[in-house]
Amino acid sequence: MKISEILKNKEVTVSFEVFPPKQWDKIENTKATVRKMSKSNPDFMSVTYGAAGTRSGFTQEIANEIKDNGITPLSHLTCLTSTKEKIDRVVTELKENNIENILALRGDIPEGFVFPDKQYFRYAYELINEIKRIGDFCIGGACYPEMHPESESREADINNLKFKVDCGAEFLTSQMFFDNEKFLEFKELCIKKGVNVPLIAGIMPITNANQIKRSIELSNSSVPKKFFKIMERFGDDPKSMKQAGIVYATEQIIDLMANGVNNIHIYTMNKPEVSAQIMNGLSDIINH
Ligand code: FAD
């Protein structure tokens, strides 16, 4: 099913993200993770794409597994380091495998990267145009409540988002954030600027101390005092930190929903027990 249809027909949605393994011999483990996560019945499940595009087959394999478990898959695809020829090949394969949804991304710029030539796409909107040329997909894009780090200003960032939507992005999934106010302000600005597609709030449950620093660095997200206090108090105790991280993420989702944000995407970090506990904490709220 197309995600645009799911978002249109359901008042509240919760989706999950998984990532494929780095080595092929671990693919069965990731498939088992998908099977466990499917039991929580998310509205759809996305699968990430390796930064350099070298493991596109892994993403495809996991997308197929999601589909085989009766869940709608969303396949991520990046363009910056893949030739147009390679992109066309991957999109055609997705079409042949009846994957209907693609999250079209530029990809992060690798260190020392020199932009090659016209055989490559520079921005996500170019990838969106290319995917639309190849098939009738539902296409989503990424958005950044606290601005993409390369954007000159918040205004430029949202203007570029608007352009991405005008090219055909039917929903935007956000970068993780820990302060709901940031997302709510961002949503207001998007509405003012005419970005009129569903904005899906990306929530990352922080369940261990090692994950904290890296997630914050990668996402450029600000961290509220309340969250710092939790890390200070429980960061050294894995069991307590996991429990506190799950509760924090659950509370974040409930607060977002209370503020009219009805579409949530959970960065599960391939931990079925974490996503299941969050879903349990929301069971009546989701089915309301
Ligand atoms: P774009 O939308 O192209 O934007 C990149 C920058 O260029 C922004 O600063 C934007 O404002 C600017 N820009 C856009 N259009 C123009 C224009 N016309 N003129 C001038 N400037 C412009 N990475 C992976 O490698 N694999 C993944 O699976 C993956 N999944 C992700 C999922 C989500 C939900 C998110 C939020 C990010 C994900 N990423 C992934 C990371 C993503 O690839 C990076 O954040 C990347 O730096 C930007 O990608 P984008 O699609 O937002 O780029």
Side-chain angles (χ1 to χ4, degrees), residues 25 31 52 55 67 99 116 126 171 174 176 186 207 244 248 280:
D25 62 3
K31 286 186 184 179
R55 294 187 295 270
K67 184 156 58 72
I99 306 291
E126 297 170 88
F171 63 91
S174 91
M176 70 184 84
F186 168 72
T207 55
Y248 188 92
N280 284 342

Side-chain angles (χ1 to χ4, degrees), residues 62-270:
I62 299 301
N64 287 344
E65 183 67 28
I66 294 170
K67 184 156 58 72
D68 292 348
N69 279 274
I71 306 286
T72 297
L74 167 63
S75 204
H76 293 203
L77 178 59
T78 66
C79 60
L80 191 66
T81 53
S82 293
T83 60
K84 291 177 186 175
E85 194 194 357
K86 161 106 196 228
I87 299 278
D88 287 3
R89 209 169 52 239
V90 174
V91 176
T92 305
E93 271 166 29
L94 288 170
K95 191 172 157 183
E96 285 165 3
N97 281 281
N98 296 319
I99 306 291
E100 296 178 280
N101 306 289
I102 303 179
L103 193 72
L105 301 144
R106 186 199 66 182
D108 280 322
I109 301 177
E111 227 178 274
F113 181 77
V114 180
F115 199 79
D117 55 34
K118 287 201 161 68
Q119 288 309 304
Y120 292 75
F121 297 119
R122 190 181 285 258
Y123 295 114
Y125 80 84
E126 297 170 88
L127 176 61
I128 292 174
N129 288 335
E130 183 67 0
I131 296 169
K132 278 176 79 90
R133 192 184 65 73
I134 298 173
D136 177 28
F137 292 94
C138 167
I139 306 167
C143 65
Y144 304 83
E146 297 180 64
M147 201 174 99
H148 188 271
E150 290 162 43
S151 293
E152 279 170 23
S153 65
R154 200 146 208 210
E155 190 170 30
D157 192 62
I158 295 183
N159 286 342
N160 288 332
L161 271 186
K162 166 94 173 75
F163 190 61
K164 201 148 72 166
V165 169
D166 290 344
C167 287
E170 294 180 72
F171 63 91
L172 297 168
T173 306
S174 91
Q175 177 64 284
M176 70 184 84
F177 57 92
F178 304 101
D179 182 349
N180 285 355
E181 287 306 314
K182 303 283 180 202
F183 185 84
L184 295 171
E185 280 165 24
F186 168 72
K187 190 180 166 197
E188 280 283 296
L189 280 174
C190 284
I191 292 168
K192 268 194 201 145
K193 288 270 180 190
V195 177
N196 55 4
V197 293
L199 299 180
I200 304 181
I203 301 296
M204 164 81 88
I206 299 287
T207 55
N208 73 68
N210 297 336
Q211 190 195 345
I212 295 165
K213 199 166 164 274
R214 190 168 152 70
S215 298
I216 292 168
E217 269 170 19
L218 279 177
S219 65
N220 213 20
S221 310
S222 44
V223 179
K225 195 172 163 199
K226 179 179 169 184
F227 193 77
F228 260 123
K229 288 276 170 201
I230 291 174
M231 292 193 286
E232 253 175 37
R233 175 76 173 81
F234 303 115
D236 291 338
D237 175 359
K239 279 188 174 170
S240 305
M241 189 60 227
K242 189 169 180 181
Q243 199 165 40
I246 290 169
V247 171
Y248 188 92
T250 310
E251 273 186 21
Q252 226 192 321
I253 295 171
I254 293 171
D255 179 58
L256 285 167
M257 288 186 178
N259 281 285
V261 178
N262 288 328
N263 305 117
I264 306 289
H265 190 64
I266 303 176
Y267 293 105
T268 67
M269 301 301 290
N270 290 15

Side-chain angles (χ1 to χ4, degrees), residues 20-32 58 62:
K22 288 201 166 66
Q23 284 134 8
W24 185 255
D25 62 3
K26 300 279 185 317
I27 200 89
E28 288 305 324
N29 298 357
T30 310
K31 286 186 184 179
F58 293 27
I62 299 301

